[in-house]
């Protein structure tokens, strides 16, 4: 007999399936006594099954609890092992982390060290410390990373200026301006080099090339206020005078000795007269704020030979009778003289007619200056005029003033009488008195054409007027 529910083999006495607990379906002949016995057996069997199931449940519960305990013990054991292992691995793991961090830091530092920004910053530091060679090393590295960077090219030029390699500096500044034609910083630096190192042609060409460009506008007054010359550089066969002007009313300063002009140089106020030979004129404009314009440099060569020396007659010596002094004037020249031994120039006395011989000891100095401003050698003659006289110069002066009525004034104004020389006419020696109306800006006497003569022996007085022969016509008074 099998269980109808689970199919397990059953005993004839089984009332319930020992496996699934299902009631065994038996249909015997009904007997009340047997029914009671069967019910009791069934109940007993059922209680046995329940008891067995309880034991199994308890057993399973115990197994579960045992497993749980074992699991907890295992977890605890693993935790202890893990703790031990963690304690054991702390240093190696820390060392690994340190190595990784060092590697990362080295990688990042190496990357930064080879960056453009690093090379550029290092170059700036070296430049500020005037270590130009090391600055160039980093600037070259920067160019390898970022080719044709204008700022790097500008710093390259600064470094080469510091090393006094001017041509290299010019080359890098030109390259920067090719890349950025409106770079004002590079343009100013190039202009300053041309000015400081007398690259006259290059300076003038560059300033001309940027005329009416955006760069010229960007440079502002630095470009616009540059002095302009009335005559360009060149070679000339005659005397020239140069005028300067600016587009504004700024002051102009210039030099003619080749030095760079500052506000300590000559302040322009009129024509610059150029003498023979080569002259470099350098000019700059300065505004009210003290800012300088671009310098203008022009070089002039004036071809002219030194004029002949003037000739003086009579020669040096001691004289007992005055003799008129004649000076030969070289062609295309003017002759200037002094009587105190100083070297004459264009502000000295201009020789126009024979001179009266000075009284006493005097040194006559003479130069000839041609139309190009070329000066001859200075020629001198020493005179010592001593002659017999009854009357002194002071006595002669008082007598003339008395005879003139003590009114020393004429149509030109008030004058004084001064006697520094003497003349000889017809064998008579006479003091020569000049009308002096004052002195000019150079300190020279302003004299009238008329003179007074006084006979040193007889006290006779005369009006002395120069005649065409260079002598005097005398009229008594």
């Amino acid at each position: 007999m099998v269980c109808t529910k689970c199919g397990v083999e059953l005993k004839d006495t089984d009332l319930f399936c020992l496996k699934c607990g299902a009631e065994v379906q038996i249909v015997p002949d009904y007997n009340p006594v047997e029914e009671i016995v069967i019910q009791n057996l069934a109940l007993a069997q059922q209680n046995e099954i329940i008891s067995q199931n309880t034991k199994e449940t308890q057993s399973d519960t115990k197994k579960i609890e045992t497993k749980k305990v074992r699991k907890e013990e295992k977890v605890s054991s693993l935790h202890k092992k893990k703790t031990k292992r963690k304690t054991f691995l702390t240093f190696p793991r820390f060392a690994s982390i340190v190595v990784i961090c060092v590697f990362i830091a080295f990688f990042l530092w190496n990357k930064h060290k080879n960056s453009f920004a690093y090379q550029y910053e290092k170059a700036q530091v070296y430049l500020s410390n005037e270590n130009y060679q090391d600055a160039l090393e980093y600037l070259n590295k920067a160019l390898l990373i970022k080719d044709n960077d204008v700022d790097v090219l500008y710093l390259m030029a600064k470094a080469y200026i510091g090393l006094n390699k001017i041509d290299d500096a010019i080359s890098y500044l030109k390259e920067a301006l090719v890349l950025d034609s409106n770079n004002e910083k590079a343009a100013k630096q190039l202009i300053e080099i041309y000015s400081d190192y007398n690259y006259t042609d290059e300076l003038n060409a560059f300033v001309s090339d940027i005329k009416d460009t955006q760069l010229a506008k960007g440079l502002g007054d630095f470009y616009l206020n540059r002095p302009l010359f009335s005559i360009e550089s060149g070679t000339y066969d005659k005397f020239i005078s140069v005028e300067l002007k600016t587009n504004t009313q700024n002051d102009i300063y210039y030099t003619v000795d080749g030095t760079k002009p500052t506000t300590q140089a000559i302040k322009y106020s009129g024509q610059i007269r150029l003498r023979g030979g080569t002259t470099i004129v350098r000019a700059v404009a300065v505004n009210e704020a003290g800012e300088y314009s671009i310098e203008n440099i022009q070089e002039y060569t004036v071809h002219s030979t030194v004029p002949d020396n003037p000739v003086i007659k009579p020669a040096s010596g001691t004289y007992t009778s005055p003799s008129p002094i004649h000076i030969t004037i070289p062609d295309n020249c003017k002759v200037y003289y002094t009587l105190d031994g100083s070297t004459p120039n264009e502000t000295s006395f201009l020789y126009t007619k024979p001179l009266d011989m000075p009284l006493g000891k005097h040194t006559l100095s003479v130069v000839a200056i041609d139309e190009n401003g070329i000066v001859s050698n200075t020629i001198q003659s020493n005179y010592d005029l001593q002659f017999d006289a009854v009357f002194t110069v002071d006595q002669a002066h008082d007598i003339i003033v008395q005879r003139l009525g003590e009114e020393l004034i004429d149509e030109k104004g008030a004058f004084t009488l001064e006697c520094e020389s003497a003349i000889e006419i017809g064998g008579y020696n006479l003091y020569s008195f000049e009308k002096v109306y004052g002195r000019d800006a150079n300190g020279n006497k302003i004299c009238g054409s008329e003179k007074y003569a006084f006979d040193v022996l007889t006290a006779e007085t005369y009006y002395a007027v120069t005649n065409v022969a260079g002598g005097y016509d005398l009229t008594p008074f």
Side-chain angles (χ1 to χ4, degrees):
M1 185 172 60
V2 296
C3 178
T4 59
K5 187 175 181 179
C6 65
V8 73
E9 188 70 19
L10 300 174
K11 297 178 182 181
D12 292 338
T13 59
D14 292 335
L15 298 178
F16 291 89
C17 178
L18 296 176
K19 182 177 183 181
C20 66
E23 184 178 359
V24 177
Q25 301 296 321
I26 302 174
V27 186
D29 294 333
Y30 183 75
N31 188 330
V33 177
E34 291 180 357
E35 178 69 22
I36 293 171
V37 173
I38 291 171
Q39 287 180 356
N40 289 334
L41 289 172
L43 180 60
Q45 190 175 22
Q46 187 174 12
N47 289 335
E48 184 180 351
I49 291 171
I50 290 172
S51 176
Q52 185 177 353
N53 287 340
T54 300
K55 290 179 179 180
E56 289 179 356
T57 300
Q58 291 177 348
S59 177
D60 290 341
T61 300
K62 188 175 182 180
K63 288 179 180 179
I64 290 172
E65 290 177 352
T66 302
K67 288 181 179 179
K68 184 176 180 181
V69 171
R70 288 178 179 176
K71 185 175 182 180
E72 289 176 352
E73 291 176 351
K74 186 175 182 180
V75 169
S76 176
S77 177
L78 289 173
H79 179 70
K80 290 179 180 180
K81 290 181 179 180
K82 186 175 182 181
T83 302
K84 290 181 179 180
R85 182 177 298 172
K86 183 176 181 181
T87 303
F88 179 75
L89 294 175
T90 296
F91 178 74
R93 178 169 293 181
F94 176 75
S96 299
I97 293 173
V98 171
V99 171
I100 292 171
C101 290
V102 170
F103 176 78
I104 292 173
F106 175 77
F107 174 78
L108 294 176
W109 168 248
N110 192 57
K111 183 177 180 181
H112 172 67
K113 190 176 180 180
N114 290 286
S115 68
F116 173 83
Y118 177 82
Q119 314 304 326
Y120 189 81
E121 290 171 3
K122 290 289 288 185
Q124 285 183 312
V125 172
Y126 280 119
L127 274 176
S128 64
N129 293 327
E130 298 183 358
N131 191 339
Y132 304 113
Q133 197 62 55
D134 287 339
L136 283 175
E137 180 180 344
Y138 282 97
L139 289 170
N140 280 315
K141 290 179 181 178
L143 283 179
L144 291 175
I145 298 169
K146 192 175 181 181
D147 190 21
N148 292 333
D149 185 89
V150 174
D151 290 331
V152 173
L153 294 173
Y154 174 77
L155 292 185
M156 293 281 281
K158 296 284 285 185
Y160 277 116
I161 292 172
L163 293 172
N164 202 32
K165 295 183 178 180
I166 305 306
D167 289 339
D168 290 327
I170 291 173
S171 177
Y172 279 104
L173 290 171
K174 285 183 175 179
E175 187 176 347
L177 287 170
V178 169
L179 296 172
D180 181 7
S181 60
N182 295 322
N183 193 298
E184 298 170 19
K185 183 169 62 175
K188 280 189 174 182
Q189 184 65 75
L190 184 60
I191 288 170
E192 288 178 6
I193 289 178
Y194 285 153
S195 177
D196 291 341
Y197 293 90
N198 295 333
Y199 285 76
T200 304
D201 294 338
E202 290 82 354
L203 174 61
N204 293 334
F206 181 75
V207 173
S208 177
D209 289 343
I210 65 174
K211 184 179 181 181
D212 298 327
T213 65
Q214 190 62 38
L215 176 59
K217 294 178 181 178
L219 292 173
D221 289 347
F222 181 66
Y223 178 88
L224 297 175
N225 291 344
R226 186 187 192 221
L228 302 176
F229 282 66
S230 61
I231 301 175
E232 296 296 321
S233 294
T235 301
Y236 300 88
D237 293 328
K238 62 180 182 179
F239 160 82
I240 58 175
S241 291
V242 178
E243 295 180 355
L244 301 176
K245 66 178 182 178
T246 65
N247 294 323
T248 62
Q249 299 300 316
N250 292 331
D251 293 330
I252 299 175
Y253 296 88
Y254 73 94
T255 64
V256 292
D257 59 0
T259 59
K260 189 172 182 177
T262 66
T263 53
Q264 302 303 312
I266 305 169
K267 186 175 181 179
Y268 178 77
S269 60
Q271 292 184 341
I272 303 173
R273 184 177 179 183
L274 299 180
R275 299 181 178 277
T278 299
T279 304
I280 297 176
V281 182
R282 304 179 62 166
V284 67
V286 182
N287 64 19
E288 293 180 352
E291 298 170 333
Y292 287 75
S293 71
I294 298 175
E295 185 184 359
N296 196 345
I297 307 174
Q298 301 292 328
E299 183 174 328
Y300 304 95
T301 299
V302 176
H303 287 310
S304 179
T305 57
V306 176
D308 294 334
N309 295 329
V311 178
I312 303 174
K313 291 183 179 180
S316 298
T318 299
Y319 291 84
T320 57
S321 180
S323 176
I325 300 172
H326 296 269
I327 302 173
T328 302
I329 303 174
D331 293 339
N332 302 315
C333 292
K334 292 181 179 180
V335 169
Y336 297 87
Y337 70 92
T338 63
L339 289 168
D340 57 3
S342 62
T343 301
N345 54 40
E346 291 168 304
T347 65
S348 302
F349 294 110
L350 175 64
Y351 176 80
T352 57
K353 60 183 180 180
L355 304 177
D356 297 338
M357 183 170 285
L359 291 168
K361 294 182 178 180
H362 285 82
T363 297
L364 173 65
S365 301
V366 181
V367 294
I369 302 177
D370 69 12
E371 59 185 2
N372 292 323
I374 307 302
V375 183
S376 71
N377 296 319
T378 301
I379 305 301
Q380 291 184 330
S381 288
N382 295 303
Y383 299 106
D384 183 8
L385 176 59
Q386 302 293 337
F387 57 83
D388 294 331
V390 174
F391 299 91
T392 66
V393 171
D394 291 340
Q395 290 172 332
H397 174 273
D398 293 340
I399 292 172
I400 292 177
V401 170
Q402 184 181 11
R403 291 178 181 177
L404 289 174
E406 299 185 358
E407 294 184 7
L408 301 183
I409 188 170
D410 60 14
E411 67 278 2
K412 292 183 180 180
F415 61 87
T416 60
L417 295 178
E418 294 186 14
C419 176
E420 293 182 349
S421 57
I423 58 178
E424 185 273 330
I425 298 178
Y428 295 96
N429 295 327
L430 304 103
Y431 293 131
S432 173
F433 284 85
E434 293 182 307
K435 285 184 176 181
V436 180
Y437 296 93
R439 295 183 180 273
D440 60 21
N442 297 317
N444 297 320
K445 292 184 295 184
I446 301 174
C447 300
S449 57
E450 186 180 55
K451 289 187 176 184
Y452 297 99
F454 182 90
D455 190 313
V456 299
L457 298 178
T458 65
E460 293 184 46
T461 55
Y462 305 90
Y463 294 109
V465 179
T466 305
N467 56 37
V468 293
Y472 290 100
D473 292 330
L474 301 180
T475 303
F477 70 91

